[in-house]
């Protein structure tokens, strides 16, 4: 939604979250950026490393598409089969600005 992480420090946001779930525990932006997000990133990276080690083969898909407003996005997806089950993981999804040249895509 393009909202700043500082929204978690906003009184109205916290009031709303308390209405949604009375057990909601307030988190500060600095805790979000210094603790929660780095820990989540480390956990996700570890899990993907486990998946890649477990899988015999992995495949990456790179894709570019536009939304209804003609804004471009670039996605990277990992595909594999583990225990006879097809698995897909979105590795990256970001806005792509400018021309879709090979140099631009390689840089992204």
């Amino acid at each position: 939604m393009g909202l700043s992480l500082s929204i978690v420090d906003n009184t109205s946001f916290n009031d709303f979250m308390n209405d949604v779930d009375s057990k909601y525990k307030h988190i500060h932006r600095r805790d979000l950026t210094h603790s929660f997000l780095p820990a989540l990133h480390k956990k996700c990276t570890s899990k993907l490393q486990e998946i890649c080690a477990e899988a015999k083969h992995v495949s990456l898909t790179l894709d570019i598409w536009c939304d209804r407003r003609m804004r471009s996005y670039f996605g990277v997806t990992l595909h594999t089969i583990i225990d006879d089950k097809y698995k897909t993981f979105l590795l990256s999804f970001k806005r792509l600005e400018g021309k879709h040249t090979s140099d631009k895509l390689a840089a992204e």
Side-chain angles (χ1 to χ4, degrees):
M1 290 177 43
L3 298 172
S4 168
L5 294 178
S6 64
I7 193 170
V8 298
D9 292 329
N10 185 294
T11 304
S12 297
F13 174 80
N14 285 296
D15 291 343
F16 169 76
M17 289 306 297
N18 283 323
D19 288 343
V20 170
D21 183 358
S22 60
K23 296 178 185 175
Y24 171 73
K25 183 181 176 202
H26 176 74
I27 184 170
H28 294 282
R29 182 195 56 80
R30 98 179 152 284
D31 296 330
L32 190 62
T33 57
H34 289 84
S35 301
F36 181 78
L37 290 177
L40 182 61
H41 181 266
K42 185 176 181 179
K43 181 180 174 182
C44 289
T45 300
S46 251
K47 183 65 177 170
L48 282 171
Q49 287 172 340
E50 286 176 30
I51 289 165
C52 288
E54 185 179 332
K56 291 181 182 178
H57 303 284
V58 297
S59 176
L60 293 176
T61 302
L62 310 172
D63 195 11
I64 299 171
W65 65 97
C66 297
D67 65 8
R68 291 180 180 170
R69 295 182 184 171
M70 298 308 292
R71 294 176 295 197
S72 299
Y73 296 90
F74 182 59
V76 180
T77 312
L78 180 137
H79 309 275
T80 190
I81 298 174
I82 299 173
D83 298 328
D84 295 327
K85 293 181 182 173
Y86 181 71
K87 304 281 186 172
T88 299
F89 303 91
L90 180 63
L91 302 179
S92 177
F93 179 83
K94 66 188 284 190
R95 179 87 188 272
L96 182 64
E97 301 200 30
K99 294 185 178 184
H100 304 171
T101 64
S102 58
D103 291 336
K104 173 77 172 176
L105 298 179
E108 292 297 326

